Amino acid sequence: MKSDLRGDYSRAGPDFSVEQEWAKYTPDEHALYRRLFERQSKLVPRYACPEWIEAIAGLDSAKEIPQFSEISAKLRKTTGWEIVAVPGLIPDDAFFTHLAHRRFPVTVWLRRPDEFDYIVEPDVFHDFFGHVPLLFDRTYADHLYEYGKGGLKAMRLDAVKMLARLYWYTIEFGLMKTPSGVRAYGAGLLSSGGELAYCVDDPRPKRLPFELERAMRTEYIIDRYQDTYFVIDSFDQLMRETAPHFTPIYARIRNS
């Protein structure tokens, strides 16, 4: 999963972690990060779930690329998690192992200015703005921990593709019912300048009640907005409905 274009993997350890080297970020990079943050900050009050909005408010992360060590110190006190700097996309086994030890991999590099509106790979803005705030929600964080353990098992069962669909339709592109209506909790939505409004307001996509097996069967789209989203009632529901033993589920999907 290494990119030929992004990240210096030569500095990575056996677990693909690197030093953030925060002092090496340039003023232009901090300015670009601020622009990204400001754009999304205008959207999230209308479209993000309350848990995310509450968490981001306590992070003081709008002015510059955050220092992972400072955020990790706050996370450890709240949910026992920490951020691990990585050079870019990492292999499945390394990713799942980090999650199973309550470590969330966050990419260290930032997109170029010409990629302001769209980027193919996750960068530090996507990873931090989209993923990190909800790590302060204990139920969500516990779900991600269980997902990491499940991912290691899925590798042994040759079922990573099915589990990846679950991740896509929840952690990356999940929607949630709230008293104010459907709102986003998926990182791919929260960090997107266009799809965040589309996923809530546009009449074209399907917004289906969350069903574990259906999510695992549904192919996803990587180069345009999604045709289908799955909507949970709460993180408690997500935790409860992903608790069953997945081995027979994988077998049913393979044999269907």
Side-chain angles (χ1 to χ4, degrees), residues 210-253:
F210 179 76
E211 294 181 28
L212 176 62
E213 287 194 41
R214 185 166 184 175
M216 285 185 172
R217 294 174 186 269
T218 304
E219 297 288 350
Y220 53 79
I221 300 165
I222 63 172
D223 57 357
R224 59 181 172 86
Y225 296 166
Q226 302 300 302
D227 294 330
T228 301
Y229 300 97
F230 288 90
V231 185
I232 62 173
D233 295 329
S234 65
F235 291 138
D236 285 331
Q237 182 210 10
L238 181 63
M239 188 74 168
R240 183 175 63 253
E241 295 198 13
T242 56
H245 193 46
F246 282 7
T247 302
I249 297 174
Y250 295 148
R252 280 198 298 271
I253 293 174

Side-chain angles (χ1 to χ4, degrees), residues 43 46-47 173 175 182 184 189 192-207 221 224-229:
L43 297 173
R46 164 72 178 87
Y47 297 111
F173 288 89
L175 297 177
V182 171
L189 299 172
S192 171
E195 194 165 0
L196 182 54
Y198 168 87
C199 72
V200 172
D201 289 339
D202 199 286
R204 288 171 290 180
K206 297 177 183 177
R207 299 175 183 86
I221 300 165
R224 59 181 172 86
Y225 296 166
Q226 302 300 302
D227 294 330
T228 301
Y229 300 97

Side-chain angles (χ1 to χ4, degrees), residues 5-178:
L5 301 175
R6 304 288 192 174
D8 182 2
Y9 288 78
S10 67
R11 299 184 297 114
D15 62 355
F16 287 85
S17 65
V18 296
E19 294 295 325
Q20 186 187 16
E21 297 185 304
W22 186 87
K24 290 187 177 181
Y25 291 120
T26 67
D28 285 345
E29 287 174 318
H30 287 299
L32 177 57
Y33 171 88
R34 278 196 301 275
R35 286 177 54 214
L36 288 162
F37 199 104
E38 288 166 2
R39 178 187 65 179
Q40 293 308 108
S41 294
K42 295 175 183 177
L43 297 173
V44 289
R46 164 72 178 87
Y47 297 111
C49 69
E51 292 87 344
W52 185 94
I53 291 173
E54 179 181 354
I56 196 74
L59 290 184
D60 190 26
S61 55
K63 296 180 180 179
E64 58 190 6
I65 297 169
Q67 296 191 48
F68 296 173
S69 59
E70 294 181 0
I71 304 301
S72 289
K74 295 180 180 180
L75 273 172
R76 289 188 199 100
K77 293 178 181 178
T78 307
T79 58
W81 278 74
E82 62 183 86
I83 295 173
V84 175
V86 294
L89 294 171
I90 62 175
D92 290 335
D93 58 345
F95 180 70
F96 293 140
T97 298
H98 280 304
L99 297 186
H101 290 84
R102 299 187 185 272
R103 302 189 298 255
F104 193 86
V106 175
T107 304
V108 293
W109 55 265
L110 182 68
R111 69 191 70 185
R112 300 186 305 267
D114 63 313
E115 299 170 307
F116 187 83
D117 290 319
Y118 177 75
I119 189 168
V120 176
E121 298 181 60
D123 68 344
V124 64
F125 179 75
H126 163 83
D127 281 346
F128 184 86
F129 190 90
H131 286 289
V132 170
L134 284 178
L135 294 174
F136 285 89
D137 182 277
R138 182 164 294 280
T139 304
Y140 176 95
D142 286 347
H143 167 72
L144 205 54
Y145 165 70
E146 295 296 337
Y147 182 90
K149 293 194 296 181
L152 294 172
K153 182 176 181 180
M155 291 187 69
R156 299 192 297 270
L157 298 173
D158 192 26
V160 169
K161 185 176 182 179
M162 287 176 271
L163 198 65
R165 293 174 189 153
L166 175 63
Y167 189 91
W168 185 271
Y169 284 116
T170 56
I171 303 303
E172 288 291 354
F173 288 89
L175 297 177
M176 175 191 292
K177 288 182 181 179
T178 77

